[in-house]
């Protein structure tokens, strides 16, 4: 609960004026609400019972005016409260999103995409709902309860002794329900995370599911996660459903007790009928105030669990630390250098890369080859700081990447990964992700270089053809070529290609390599590839073996000096082709 209070206190600080306005409006409507029973008693005692209709009309007019004030203030408080709660939800989502953007792949893997999505949407929604309830109902509860209690005691102290019994009973019942809800609320959010993860996996991997005819297995996984969520939700719902009838039952018995004892006092002349009616109204207001407070307590366990989950994200430092005074000017533009770089994944027993040294200069194409698991892709991911090195130094443009401004690094380094991701939109919007101000002519030139112009022109809407999320409406080779075109538009000084020819046929492969060679003549190009034919003409080939640089040189040099490279080459080429 402390986490929730601290989160709300920090989040509502910018809206202090709105909170103060809500408090004033609620105070005004509570004052009117508390005064109405007294006027009602006065109208009954001195108007109805005495037959003075003029007095009834006068008091009735005042009651009508107070009712209008009460309704106006209540409506205004609800409006301001709802706007403030929505603004708080907007700010929390923005803070979570901003924090996630600072995460490296390491932190992303720790939380998982499904959990982060749930925290930024469902968890924030739960807190937002609680804040709306607090502003519209709970803020008024303490003042109304205290005010109604004072007024009830002033009306008739002996009858007020009933409250000594009623209030502790109501508080104990709600307290027990509240205590049992806390663990259920935390468990419910975990079940929501799990269900989101299962659904996301099944939607993303639908082709794999169908290819292996695992529909029934995945349906069973979904049913299990759904059933777990249902069971916890039902248990929590039963607790909440029991709370309201229990409170109403206590209220009804309290009303009966007041009428029983109060009726005897009216008959004995101890109080007047109007006073008894007013006392009953005050009793109702007191119990309603307690119920409103308890309603917030009933909702707070889940909101508290959500606040802890959101706080966990906000308190997690991004793995990519931003320097206090980042470097924006590069003394050696286009130069890439690795100095005895090492990297170990979190929790891994062995490092993926060990003492890797490598230099690539503008106008030079460096290829990285090696067996599966040798660390080729990891090496490329270190350059744009998707991960940070755990040993050694990585320099871009003569500056350690840890000291570089993020925008400068992004403008200098471009990466096309093995499985490029395309955002939903159109072909044009996808390509302009690399350069927003690019003209249509720029787009067509980039597509032509990437060997993608033909299939884009064949689309009914050309550059305005739709792109589904992740580019799922294009083939693997088409996605790769669109990603390459997007990179070419950005015009980075350092090009990183991670096995980007893997989905292309040999003819397209050759045309694309020739086109890229002309386009990147002044750039630094680093290529990770599985096919030797793709990289054999590179200026230098680096062979990785179990995370270490086993050899470096041209194709011909490595065929003579590197057993590992020769084994890879001869597994793909005939001896004559390898020697050609």
């Amino acid at each position: 609960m402390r986490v929730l209070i601290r989160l709300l206190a920090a989040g509502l600080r910018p809206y202090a004026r709105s909170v103060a306005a809500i408090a004033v409006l609620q105070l005004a409507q509570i004052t009117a609400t508390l005064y109405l029973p007294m006027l009602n008693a006065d109208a009954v005692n001195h108007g109805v019972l005495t037959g003075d209709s003029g007095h009834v009309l006068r008091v009735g007019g005042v009651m009508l005016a107070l009712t209008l004030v009460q309704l106006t203030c209540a409506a205004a408080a609800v409006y301001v409260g709802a706007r403030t709660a929505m603004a708080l939800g907007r700010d929390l989502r923005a803070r979570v999103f901003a924090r996630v953007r600072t995460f490296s792949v390491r932190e992303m893997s720790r939380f998982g995409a499904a959990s982060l999505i749930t925290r930024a949407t469902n968890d924030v929604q739960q807190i937002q709902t609680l804040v709306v309830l607090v502003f519209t109902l709970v803020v008024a509860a303490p003042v109304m309860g205290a005010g109604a209690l004072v007024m009830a005691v002033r009306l008739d102290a002996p009858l007020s002794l009933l409250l000594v019994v009623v209030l502790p009973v109501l508080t104990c019942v709600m307290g027990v329900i509240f205590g049992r809800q806390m663990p259920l609320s935390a468990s419910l959010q975990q079940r929501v995370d799990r269900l989101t993860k299962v659904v996301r996996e099944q939607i993303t991997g639908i082709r794999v599911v169908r290819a292996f005819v695992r529909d029934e297995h995945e349906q069973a996984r979904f049913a299990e996660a759904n059933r777990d969520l249902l069971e916890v939700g039902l248990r929590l719902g039963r607790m909440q459903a029991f709370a309201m009838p229990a409170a109403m039952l206590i209220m009804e018995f309290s009303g009966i007790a007041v009428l029983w004892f109060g009726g005897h006092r009216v008959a004995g002349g101890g109080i007047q009928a109007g006073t008894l009616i007013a006392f009953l109204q005050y009793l109702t207001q007191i119990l309603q105030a307690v119920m409103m407070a308890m309603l917030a307590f009933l909702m707070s366990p889940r909101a508290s669990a959500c606040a802890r989950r959101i706080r966990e994200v906000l308190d997690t430092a991004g793995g990519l630390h931003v320097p206090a005074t980042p470097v924006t000017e590069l003394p050696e533009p286009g130069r890439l250098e690795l100095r005895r770089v090492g990297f170990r994944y979190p929790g891994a027993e062995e490092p993926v890369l060990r003492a890797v040294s490598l230099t690539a200069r503008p106008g030079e194409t460096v290829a990285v080859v090696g067996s599966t698991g040798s660390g080729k892709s990891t090496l490329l991911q270190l350059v744009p700081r998707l991960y940070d090195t755990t040993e050694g130094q990585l320099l871009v443009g003569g500056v350690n990447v840890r000291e570089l401004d993020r925008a400068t690094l992004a403008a200098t380094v471009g990466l096309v990964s093995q499985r490029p991701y395309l955002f939903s939109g159109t072909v044009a919007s996808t390509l302009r992700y690399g350069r927003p101000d690019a003209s249509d002519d720029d787009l067509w030139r980039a597509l032509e270089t990437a060997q993608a112009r033909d299939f884009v022109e064949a689309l009914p809407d050309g550059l305005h053809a739709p792109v589904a999320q992740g580019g799922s409406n294009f083939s693997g080779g088409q996605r790769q070529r669109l990603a390459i075109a997007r990179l070419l538009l950005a015009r980075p000084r350092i090009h990183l290609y991670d096995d980007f020819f893997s989905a292309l046929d040999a003819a397209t492969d050759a045309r694309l390599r020739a086109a890229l060679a002309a386009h990147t003549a002044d750039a630094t190009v680093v290529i990770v590839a599985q096919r030797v034919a793709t990289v054999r003409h590179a200026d230098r080939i680096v062979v990785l073996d179990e995370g270490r640089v086993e050899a470096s040189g041209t194709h011909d040099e490595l065929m003579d000096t590197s057993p590992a490279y020769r084994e890879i080459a001869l597994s793909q080429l005939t001896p004559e082709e390898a020697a050609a």
Side-chain angles (χ1 to χ4, degrees):
M1 186 63 70
R2 287 195 294 263
V3 175
L4 175 62
I5 293 173
R6 287 199 299 269
L7 186 67
L8 293 180
L12 291 173
R13 193 171 294 120
Y15 306 102
R17 291 184 178 179
S18 296
V19 175
I22 294 168
V24 171
L25 290 169
Q26 292 286 21
L27 182 62
Q29 73 101 358
I30 290 167
T31 302
T33 302
L34 291 175
Y35 197 51
L36 284 171
M38 293 293 292
L39 292 174
N40 189 30
D42 182 55
V44 172
N45 292 336
H46 302 100
V48 175
L49 296 180
T50 61
D52 187 350
S53 58
H55 186 76
V56 172
L57 291 175
R58 286 192 300 273
V59 174
V62 175
M63 292 179 68
L64 180 60
L66 279 178
T67 301
L68 291 175
V69 171
Q70 176 197 16
L71 292 176
T72 302
C73 291
V78 169
Y79 175 76
V80 177
R83 285 185 60 89
T84 305
M86 297 304 111
L88 172 67
R90 176 200 61 202
D91 294 346
L92 281 178
R93 283 190 293 271
R95 289 174 62 192
V96 171
F97 181 72
R99 175 62 67 180
V100 170
R101 287 184 60 211
T102 68
F103 287 174
S104 68
V105 180
R106 180 180 305 184
E107 287 77 38
M108 294 291 291
S109 301
R110 170 188 161 192
F111 287 102
S115 180
L116 288 173
I117 291 171
T118 303
R119 293 173 198 237
T121 54
N122 181 271
D123 288 7
V124 172
Q125 182 67 35
Q126 295 300 323
I127 294 175
Q128 189 173 278
T129 302
L130 177 66
V131 173
V132 171
L133 179 66
V134 168
F135 283 158
T136 55
L137 296 177
V138 181
V139 167
V143 180
M144 180 179 289
L149 181 61
V150 171
M151 300 297 283
V153 172
R154 286 183 59 190
L155 281 176
D156 192 272
L159 272 181
S160 301
L161 293 175
L162 288 171
L163 298 173
V164 177
V165 177
V166 174
L167 292 179
V169 171
L170 183 59
T171 304
C172 288
V173 171
M174 295 296 124
V176 170
I177 296 174
F178 171 74
R180 303 185 104 186
Q181 272 194 293
M182 285 291 290
L184 288 176
S185 298
S187 179
L188 184 70
Q189 293 308 115
Q190 294 172 359
R191 299 302 194 280
V192 171
D193 269 357
R194 183 186 172 199
L195 183 62
T196 304
K197 178 182 178 181
V198 170
V199 172
R200 186 174 182 272
E201 284 182 344
Q202 292 181 356
I203 293 174
T204 306
I206 186 65
R207 295 180 181 178
V208 178
V209 174
R210 290 175 178 171
F212 288 92
V213 196
R214 299 288 287 176
D215 301 72
E216 293 185 1
H217 171 75
E218 293 302 326
Q219 286 177 2
R221 282 184 65 211
F222 174 80
E224 181 183 359
N226 202 21
R227 184 171 57 253
D228 288 346
L229 178 61
L230 173 65
E231 290 175 355
V232 176
L234 285 176
R235 289 168 61 189
L236 188 61
R238 290 189 192 105
M239 297 299 297
Q240 293 176 338
F242 176 73
M244 191 59 68
M248 292 299 297
L249 187 64
I250 293 172
M251 286 183 61
E252 295 300 330
F253 274 112
S254 301
I256 292 172
V258 168
L259 290 175
W260 174 267
F261 292 106
H264 286 292
R265 288 180 58 76
V266 170
I271 58 173
Q272 294 179 294
T275 303
L276 177 60
I277 294 172
F279 186 90
L280 190 59
Q281 290 176 322
Y282 283 127
L283 174 66
T284 302
Q285 289 177 355
I286 293 170
L287 296 181
Q288 284 179 342
V290 174
M291 286 182 61
M292 285 189 291
M294 288 301 175
L295 182 59
F297 279 118
L298 290 174
M299 291 190 63
S300 61
R302 187 173 182 185
S304 180
C306 294
R308 285 196 300 272
R309 287 156 52 85
I310 292 172
R311 192 73 259 174
E312 186 180 6
V313 174
L314 297 178
D315 290 343
T316 299
L320 304 179
H321 300 289
V322 179
T325 54
V327 177
T328 57
E329 297 293 332
L330 302 179
E332 301 177 86
R335 179 184 173 91
L336 172 64
E337 184 178 0
L338 282 72
R339 298 177 180 173
R340 298 190 61 79
V341 164
F343 178 77
R344 183 194 303 267
Y345 284 103
E349 296 182 1
E350 297 292 332
V352 179
L353 298 173
R354 311 163 189 260
V356 174
S357 294
L358 168 67
T359 301
R361 301 173 179 83
E364 187 177 25
T365 297
V366 177
V368 181
V369 299
S371 59
T372 300
S374 59
K376 305 184 299 298
S377 296
T378 301
L379 187 148
L380 285 196
Q381 291 173 358
L382 294 176
V383 180
R385 290 195 73 190
L386 299 184
Y387 291 103
D388 265 338
T389 60
T390 53
E391 297 176 12
Q393 289 185 320
L394 195 156
L395 285 73
V396 169
V399 180
N400 192 316
V401 290
R402 295 174 184 265
E403 301 172 4
L404 267 178
D405 176 67
R406 289 181 62 190
T408 302
L409 178 62
T412 305
V413 177
L415 170 66
V416 177
S417 61
Q418 288 176 304
R419 293 181 293 275
Y421 189 89
L422 305 181
F423 288 93
S424 58
T426 64
V427 172
S429 67
T430 296
L431 298 181
R432 287 195 174 102
Y433 205 82
R435 183 155 58 96
D437 61 347
S439 65
D440 285 357
D441 289 339
D442 293 332
L443 302 186
W444 284 119
R445 281 194 292 270
L447 288 170
E448 187 167 359
T449 302
Q451 305 303 300
R453 179 165 188 150
D454 291 345
F455 78 79
V456 172
E457 283 182 330
L459 297 173
D461 298 319
L463 289 175
H464 302 289
V467 176
Q469 183 180 12
S472 58
N473 56 331
F474 291 99
S475 69
Q478 290 173 334
R479 287 198 298 272
Q480 284 189 330
R481 282 176 281 171
L482 288 174
I484 292 169
R486 180 175 61 188
L487 174 63
L488 295 176
L489 275 172
R491 299 173 182 171
R493 301 298 299 268
I494 300 174
H495 292 237
L496 307 176
Y497 297 104
D498 186 3
D499 202 17
F500 71 117
F501 292 124
S502 60
L504 304 180
D505 59 84
T508 305
D509 181 323
R511 291 196 303 271
L512 180 54
R513 281 190 284 114
L516 283 177
H519 188 87
T520 60
D522 297 328
T524 303
V525 180
V526 181
I527 301 174
V528 163
Q530 297 288 348
R531 295 198 299 225
V532 171
T534 300
V535 299
R536 61 182 299 173
H537 299 296
D539 298 308
R540 186 152 40 91
I541 301 173
V542 177
V543 183
L544 285 186
D545 185 27
E546 295 184 355
R548 299 180 185 275
V549 175
E550 193 268 344
S552 177
T554 64
H555 170 76
D556 293 335
E557 291 171 348
L558 292 176
M559 286 297 294
D560 294 332
T561 61
S562 172
Y565 181 79
R566 186 166 55 250
E567 180 182 352
I568 294 171
L570 293 178
S571 69
Q572 301 176 19
L573 307 172
T574 65
E576 293 76 14
E577 290 173 330

